[in-house]
Amino acid sequence: MSSLRFCFPTTFYPPHSFGGDAIAVQRLARALVTRGHAVTVIHDVDAFSVVSGTRVGMLEPVDDDGVEMIPLRSRTGRISPLLAQQTGQPMVHRATLRRIFEQRRFDVVNFHNSSLIGGPGIFSLAGPSTRVYTAHEHWLVCPTHVLWRHKREVCPARQCVRCQLRYRRPPQLWRFGNGLKKHLEEIDLFIAMSDFSARKHAEFGFRREMAVLPPFSDLPASADDGASPHNRPYFFFAGRLEEIKGLQDVIPQMPSLPGVDLLVAGDGSYRPELERNAGPQVRFLGAAGRSELSRLYRHAIATIAPSVTYETFGLTLIESFACGTPVIARRLGPFPEIVDACGGGLLFTTPEELGDAMRRIVGDSVLRARLGDGARKGCVDRWSEDVVVPAYLELVTRASRRTR
């Protein structure tokens, strides 16, 4: 395949990012560069500043990975992402974005998290490029992105205006009428992260076909990383510390597991509440780097994935799989299809089932070894860079042929 010029417009990108969507974008960008393609990432620093409250001038990339990054900043500060959220248009950065697209003439523009960098209005600026949209969240069908209705339940049916008010966000009027549908017609290829997410998009009225392509893990499949990072057996959780991630259901299980701890990597607005309810068996580590994460996964009894709402995928599951560590995941969203695909873990529905699964895997080393073997093999066969990236390039090539 000849070298292609890719552009990845996205709201968040490391180090100006929070969760798995940005990590997945970064991994794909780096993988394409190592295969001889050129990748330019356009991301919105103002949006990160507004959401995080962090002085973004203190955050800079730590290495040169060959990916070109164009950070968008404006003198308007928080006004820029607010206008994008409310109008569905890149009001402040329109001229800059148009100039980049016209001058670079990318072969492929893959939009990722577009919510605050320009809404759906950014789609029309990409020129003659093949246009791809990857659904890292359910933003196409949900104004709050996560299908967590009224901050209390998985969304069974639309009540979008009331729900946005419950989130203290003004309703997005551009979602009404034909405006969104018109912008979506600009996209040549839609990618969902899981079969579940593709079905959920269709259930909530999305009428375009979606190809299904998962992200991949770039954590090493095996490594001699020395001793365990903790002096006692432990379960592991990695992710944003928000209520929808479900860690509040895991912490109460720990007193029934004497001699076992819970290590938590990540940060978020729900952390103070979790810490108030956590006993001495729970340790909060804050953000963890790639090498530290690999070591934490590898030495854990199992990784817990307790999200209470619909994820589009489960990046922590396949990261755990890559390290040969099984998972205990809620029977919700895409988690069952991921676990069942390789037999790399146990599923639960209720907190009582979660506690039973944790005690079972602690007390049965043979079970843990069998699940870990399935997890490792599943990651190599399904969720490795060598599998996912060629599949991505094939999807893009076919979309380009249709476009021409």
Side-chain angles (χ1 to χ4, degrees):
M1 176 183 292
S2 60
S3 176
L4 297 174
R5 293 161 298 169
F6 287 87
C7 179
F8 287 0
T10 187
T11 296
F12 304 117
Y13 190 78
H16 305 102
S17 61
F18 305 95
D21 59 337
I23 297 299
V25 175
Q26 183 184 56
R27 287 175 178 171
L28 179 58
R30 289 175 167 176
L32 291 171
V33 168
T34 62
R35 285 162 170 76
H37 304 286
V39 181
T40 299
V41 175
I42 308 173
H43 63 106
D44 197 302
V45 178
D46 290 334
F48 176 79
S49 178
V50 168
V51 177
S52 69
T54 302
R55 289 185 59 192
V56 296
M58 304 297 291
L59 295 171
E60 294 298 336
V62 296
D63 60 356
D64 181 6
D65 55 13
V67 178
E68 178 190 24
M69 290 189 289
I70 302 179
L72 299 180
R73 294 180 172 90
S74 75
R75 295 180 180 179
T76 65
R78 67 173 58 240
I79 299 301
S80 174
L82 176 62
L83 286 173
Q85 193 266 352
Q86 277 298 282
T87 67
Q89 297 286 337
M91 302 295 287
V92 174
H93 295 297
R94 181 185 299 276
T96 300
L97 290 165
R98 189 186 299 278
R99 183 173 63 254
I100 293 171
F101 290 132
E102 289 178 351
Q103 291 177 352
R104 303 298 185 90
R105 299 185 64 83
F106 299 105
D107 298 303
V108 179
V109 177
N110 190 164
F111 299 97
H112 293 278
N113 182 345
S114 302
S115 58
L116 299 182
I117 196 175
I122 194 177
F123 300 162
S124 63
L125 303 180
S129 308
T130 299
R131 306 176 196 190
V132 182
Y133 181 87
T134 301
H136 295 270
E137 298 179 315
H138 290 109
W139 173 73
L140 291 174
V141 294
C142 175
T144 66
H145 304 209
V146 292
L147 293 174
W148 184 239
R149 195 170 71 172
H150 305 314
K151 287 189 171 184
R152 64 170 183 257
E153 62 184 357
V154 291
C155 186
R158 291 180 182 275
Q159 294 179 356
C160 295
V161 173
R162 288 171 53 195
C163 185
Q164 288 176 85
L165 294 175
R166 180 67 179 84
Y167 277 83
R168 297 184 179 180
R169 300 177 186 175
Q172 296 172 312
L173 299 181
W174 56 264
R175 287 185 178 269
F176 300 92
N178 293 322
L180 178 58
K181 180 181 178 181
K182 180 180 178 181
H183 287 304
L184 294 179
E185 290 172 354
E186 303 278 355
I187 301 297
D188 303 303
L189 169 66
F190 289 93
I191 297 177
M193 312 292 277
S194 62
D195 288 328
F196 170 85
S197 183
R199 293 195 303 272
K200 192 56 61 175
H201 276 82
E203 179 184 325
F204 277 84
F206 186 73
R207 296 295 174 243
R208 297 286 297 277
E209 180 182 355
M210 302 187 83
V212 176
L213 185 73
F216 61 88
S217 171
D218 66 349
L219 297 184
S222 62
D224 182 9
D225 50 15
S228 171
H230 193 60
N231 59 3
R232 282 158 48 103
Y234 66 89
F235 288 100
F236 183 51
F237 171 92
R240 291 184 293 115
L241 301 188
E242 306 294 343
E243 187 174 7
I244 61 173
K245 294 300 182 179
L247 194 57
Q248 64 272 14
D249 288 341
V250 183
I251 290 174
Q253 307 302 325
M254 298 311 300
S256 69
L257 292 157
V260 179
D261 291 343
L262 172 66
L263 302 190
V264 178
D267 213 336
S269 64
Y270 200 52
R271 178 172 175 171
E273 178 69 18
L274 294 169
E275 289 182 325
R276 279 193 292 271
N277 295 315
Q281 292 171 267
V282 183
R283 181 180 176 188
F284 292 86
L285 307 176
R290 181 175 180 269
S291 60
E292 186 181 2
L293 269 179
S294 179
R295 196 162 164 240
L296 287 163
Y297 278 124
R298 195 173 314 284
H299 291 279
I301 298 169
T303 298
I304 312 293
S307 293
V308 296
T309 191
Y310 298 134
E311 305 276 359
T312 54
F313 192 70
L315 197 58
T316 58
L317 276 70
I318 63 170
E319 288 180 340
S320 186
F321 290 171
C323 297
T325 298
V327 302
I328 301 176
R330 195 179 297 270
R331 191 179 283 104
L332 184 69
F335 292 172
E337 74 180 75
I338 297 171
V339 172
D340 291 345
C342 67
L346 303 176
L347 297 169
F348 72 93
T349 300
T350 65
E352 292 74 21
E353 290 179 359
L354 169 60
D356 289 343
M358 294 172 73
R359 289 184 289 272
R360 181 183 173 196
I361 207 167
V362 166
D364 192 338
S365 59
V366 174
L367 170 65
R368 185 192 178 282
R370 175 171 59 81
L371 296 176
D373 288 343
R376 186 182 293 105
K377 185 177 186 302
C379 194
V380 172
D381 293 344
R382 296 173 179 270
W383 303 295
S384 65
E385 178 180 326
D386 289 340
V387 173
V388 174
V389 176
Y392 171 79
L393 290 170
E394 176 60 26
L395 286 172
V396 168
T397 299
R398 292 206 304 262
S400 298
R401 291 170 183 160
R402 291 196 302 269
T403 303
R404 287 198 295 270

